[in-house]
Amino acid sequence: AQSVTQLGSHVSVSEGALVLLRCNYSSSVPPYLFWYVQYPNQGLQLLLKYTTGATLVKGINGFEAEFKKSETSFHLTKPSAHMSDAAEYFCAVISIYNNNDMRFGAGTRLTVKP
Amino acid sequence: NAGVTQTPKFRVLKTGQSMTLLCAQDMNHEYMYWYRQDPGMGLRLIHYSVGEGTTAKGEVPDGYNVSRLKKQNFLLGLESAAPSQTSVYFCASSFRVSYNSPLHFGNGTRLTVT
């Protein structure tokens, strides 16, 4: 089954700085990829997803991610961090051989400093 | 619109006790999932259901049972709780298979087994 690895369990940025959260997937076949966000004491919400087509995917709240097959990566970025972006972010992959099998990364907690 | 509702929100069990977690969704979704979230491990799929009356095992099904007697409800049971089942449990639902429609999560149930 496919899996994802998120580099860095904690990332801290200053307000207004670039946000970069890293995700690499393991698969020889391009998978379906997702980023979810979890705010404190809440469930996860979908930020964006890549299934097919354009490799640069735009999501909610100004986030975007680029699918790079050559690097097996799907890093999440936002040009300018806002205090409200502080949350935990999860990369996830779903196998095209079992559409119900979604595997999540360990998560990256984003802190935004004023 | 309530979305996905989980009850209870918190529970403390002694080893060997049993309990049932209830998940209810009002979005007429076919697919429902139970995940557990542990620090540093992301979310792991316990069981899922692709429709009323159907259930299937996920990545970590041992020690849990589920039932989907009504389309809107998905129950997760622990017959004999163990400390290793201390976790935060999330229910999710989706309209179609999860690569094609987002997962909608509840706010979680925090379970402690002593």
Side-chain angles (χ1 to χ4, degrees):
Chain A
Q2 281 98 325
S3 66
V4 289
T5 301
Q6 292 184 241
L7 299 176
S9 58
H10 290 88
V11 170
S12 181
V13 300
S14 297
E15 192 173 18
L18 171 71
V19 176
L20 171 60
L21 305 181
R22 300 176 187 274
C23 173
N24 288 89
Y25 66 92
S26 65
S27 172
S28 59
V29 178
Y32 300 118
L33 289 157
F34 307 80
W35 276 99
Y36 278 81
V37 60
Q38 184 180 30
Y39 298 102
N41 300 314
Q42 294 185 24
L44 281 68
Q45 303 171 35
L46 180 67
L47 267 180
L48 49 79
K49 67 176 182 181
Y50 169 80
T51 54
T52 58
T55 56
L56 182 62
V57 181
K58 294 188 184 299
I60 61 172
N61 301 336
F63 284 94
E64 61 183 36
E66 186 170 10
F67 172 70
K68 291 188 176 180
K69 182 179 177 181
S70 61
E71 298 177 9
T72 60
S73 68
F74 191 57
H75 300 333
L76 182 71
T77 60
K78 182 174 180 178
S80 177
H82 192 272
M83 297 296 290
S84 61
D85 295 327
E88 189 150 22
Y89 292 80
F90 293 91
C91 182
V93 64
I94 191 161
S95 170
I96 62 172
Y97 301 109
N98 180 355
N99 296 331
N100 297 294
D101 186 1
M102 182 176 280
R103 299 295 176 98
F104 289 83
T108 298
R109 183 168 300 279
L110 175 67
T111 301
V112 182
K113 298 176 290 185
Chain B
N1 209 358
V4 178
T5 303
Q6 292 182 231
T7 52
K9 290 183 170 54
F10 303 93
R11 186 72 187 268
V12 178
L13 288 179
K14 294 186 188 304
T15 299
Q17 287 185 319
S18 64
M19 78 164 293
T20 300
L21 282 65
L22 172 63
C23 176
Q25 52 95 4
D26 62 1
M27 297 172 284
N28 200 35
H29 285 172
E30 288 292 336
Y31 297 76
M32 297 188 75
Y33 312 81
W34 276 107
Y35 287 90
R36 60 177 288 173
Q37 183 179 25
D38 301 291
M41 302 187 74
L43 281 78
R44 292 179 291 168
L45 183 63
I46 304 171
H47 286 280
Y48 64 95
S49 168
V50 300
E52 181 179 321
T54 74
T55 63
K57 293 180 180 180
E59 185 183 359
V60 290
D62 294 343
Y64 305 95
N65 56 76
V66 288
S67 64
R68 183 103 182 265
L69 299 179
K70 293 183 179 181
K71 186 177 182 179
Q72 63 267 34
N73 296 337
F74 195 29
L75 278 63
L76 177 71
L78 286 73
E79 289 187 347
S80 180
S84 61
Q85 294 177 305
T86 294
S87 186
V88 181
Y89 292 85
F90 285 98
C91 176
S93 70
S94 62
F95 183 61
R96 297 186 183 89
V97 67
S98 53
Y99 73 83
N100 206 21
S101 70
L103 296 178
H104 294 257
F105 283 83
N107 286 339
T109 295
R110 186 173 295 276
L111 174 66
T112 302
V113 183
T114 61

